[in-house]
Amino acid sequence: MKPRKIIAGNWKMNNTRAQTRELIENIIPKAENAACEVVICVPFTDLETAVNLTHTGNIRVAAQNCHFEKSGAFTGEISVDMLKEIGAEYVVIGHSERRQYFGETDVTVNKKVVAALESGLSVIVCVGETLDEREQGITREVVARQVKIALIGVKSLENTVIAYEPVWAIGTGKTATDDQANEVCAFIRETVKDIYGESAASGLTIQYGGSMNAKNAAGLLAQPDINGGLIGGASLKAEDFGVIIAACTL
Ligand code: PGA
């Protein structure tokens, strides 16, 4: 089975409700004839607006984080059931900014992945090495560890997407080359194959993320082991995001 191709825009902490409305209205025509699935990962406060504006179309809505407990005394957190109820279909888990600034660890990533999948959400799990780790030559070890721990207790990969996002490429304008990105995505597929077998691994959507933009998207998306993108900065401009969506052919 071939993986589904998915272009996801990670808005990070951007866009008020009014800005969300405007951006989505401009993205809808770009997504209309897309050959791939289109996902927008919006702040919690924009989820309802995004769901309402996209419910008849082919854009799916994602949250950017969740908590792993069902409910309780976790001030400031949002549960997977809350996300489900509001109409989100995906949740991004383990983005490097959450690992770097908010104490996310491989273990909390795993708990969140399990909770989200159990609730019926799909997950986009982010992995990737820092510049220091790449220079030390331990990219594979780091990425294999992140993938394996994230998936502990996950029986089926049907609702799981993995995004390979080298930390040194995020928001820096320094994109991995097509070959560098494909090499690690292929390695992730191998790692998954060892646990879940050939058919699950070959059907798994693996995205690349890190300064993907309207200029470099076609090259990255043409790589055999890259099945889509997780796009930050360039997803905030409907024109650029539209070019990336169009570059994601089957
Ligand atoms: P960027 O962000 O495209 O702005 O580098 C990607 C991401 O953080 O998902």
Side-chain angles (χ1 to χ4, degrees), residues 10 12 95-97 126 165 169-173 209-213 230-235:
N10 176 13
K12 309 192 180 187
H95 189 279
S96 70
E97 286 151 15
C126 303
E165 297 207 305
I170 295 177
T172 57
S211 300
M212 190 185 272
N213 59 38
L230 182 57
I231 297 106
S235 74

Side-chain angles (χ1 to χ4, degrees), residues 237-248:
K237 295 179 217 121
E239 268 319 305
D240 291 14
F241 195 51
V243 172
I244 299 171
I245 292 170
C248 195

Side-chain angles (χ1 to χ4, degrees), residues 22-216:
E22 191 185 336
L23 183 52
I24 291 178
E25 272 156 17
N26 290 327
I27 290 173
I28 287 172
K30 320 267 181 210
E32 232 155 38
N33 299 312
C36 59
E37 198 174 306
V38 177
V39 178
I40 49 174
C41 315
V42 308
F44 289 132
T45 48
D46 293 328
L47 281 169
E48 190 163 18
T49 308
V51 167
N52 288 341
L53 286 172
T54 57
H55 78 278
T56 54
N58 58 348
I59 299 176
R60 315 249 167 277
V61 175
Q64 300 173 8
N65 183 32
C66 63
H67 197 271
F68 46 82
E69 292 292 349
K70 284 261 165 220
S71 62
F74 302 100
T75 302
E77 293 294 317
I78 304 280
S79 76
V80 290
D81 291 343
M82 293 169 184
L83 297 179
K84 268 295 276 188
E85 191 203 39
I86 214 163
E89 292 181 62
Y90 280 88
V91 58
V92 177
I93 298 177
H95 189 279
S96 70
E97 286 151 15
R98 299 229 44 100
R99 296 181 191 253
Q100 193 179 343
Y101 306 128
F102 302 101
E104 194 84 88
T105 65
D106 290 335
V107 172
T108 56
V109 168
N110 174 242
K111 287 185 179 180
K112 292 179 179 192
V113 167
V114 170
L117 291 174
E118 264 174 17
S119 78
L121 288 166
S122 293
V123 296
I124 299 177
V125 185
C126 303
V127 299
E129 80 288 1
T130 61
L131 183 60
D132 194 38
E133 289 162 340
R134 176 162 280 264
E135 284 172 349
Q136 282 180 53
I138 56 168
T139 296
R140 287 178 177 232
E141 283 84 344
V142 169
V143 169
R145 186 199 74 224
Q146 291 174 334
V147 169
K148 284 182 190 161
I149 299 178
L151 297 179
I152 290 172
V154 173
K155 292 191 185 67
S156 154
L157 295 182
E158 211 177 321
N159 297 321
T160 298
V161 172
I162 294 184
Y164 167 56
E165 297 207 305
V167 179
W168 49 270
I170 295 177
T172 57
K174 264 199 242 163
T175 324
T177 64
D178 298 351
D179 286 345
Q180 276 174 332
N182 190 64
E183 189 199 326
V184 182
C185 290
F187 171 72
I188 290 171
R189 205 177 297 287
E190 279 302 308
T191 305
V192 165
K193 189 173 118 190
D194 292 343
I195 313 171
Y196 293 91
E198 171 75 45
S199 112
S202 58
L204 175 69
T205 301
I206 302 178
Q207 299 174 313
Y208 167 78
S211 300
M212 190 185 272
N213 59 38
K215 288 209 179 80
N216 60 29

Side-chain angles (χ1 to χ4, degrees), residues 2 57 94 115 163 223:
K2 277 174 87 177
Q223 299 302 307

